[in-house]
Amino acid sequence: MRDIMGMMGKVKEMQAKMEQMQAEIAELSAEGKAGGGLVTVVISGKGDLKSLKIDPSLFKEDDVEILEDLIVAAHKDAKDKAEALAAEKTKALTAGLPIPPGFKLPF
């Protein structure tokens, strides 16, 4: 019975740490760039777009498709970086837990 009580205590402790980690991840920001820095995107840890900067040299009618592609590429770059930061924080929290490969936290 003591093992169950000890396990329940660890589950509650882990739950509190997960909630804290999720709050920290939400506060993270990641910057992604495309086109050699012509387009810069900043997103939150949750993937929400915070800012977008576009070099004025891209504002030409002929370059609209290029600009659209660069925005998408910069967003992907920022999202990949935010996911890597979140994975790093999660890995530190779940060290020693038998979590299957490919299982993503937070849920």
Side-chain angles (χ1 to χ4, degrees), residues 5-102:
M5 295 303 285
M7 190 169 85
M8 293 300 290
K10 288 189 184 259
V11 167
K12 286 185 180 190
E13 182 181 322
M14 177 63 103
Q15 183 179 15
K17 286 181 180 179
M18 279 298 279
E19 288 174 4
Q20 179 183 358
M21 183 192 64
Q22 287 175 337
E24 289 174 10
I25 288 172
E27 294 297 317
L28 291 175
S29 67
E31 180 179 272
K33 295 185 178 194
L38 294 175
V39 175
T40 303
V41 170
V42 177
I43 63 169
S44 72
K46 297 239 180 211
D48 297 328
L49 185 63
K50 291 176 131 181
S51 71
L52 169 66
K53 292 180 184 172
I54 302 170
D55 188 279
S57 68
L58 292 173
F59 292 110
K60 299 176 188 166
E61 284 187 40
D62 299 341
D63 295 339
V64 172
E65 287 182 28
I66 294 170
L67 179 57
E68 291 168 347
D69 290 343
L70 289 174
I71 291 169
V72 170
H75 185 271
K76 182 185 180 323
D77 184 41
K79 186 175 181 191
D80 291 346
K81 289 176 182 177
E83 286 176 354
L85 289 169
E88 189 177 305
K89 284 193 168 291
T90 302
K91 184 177 180 182
L93 177 68
T94 60
L97 291 177
I99 296 176

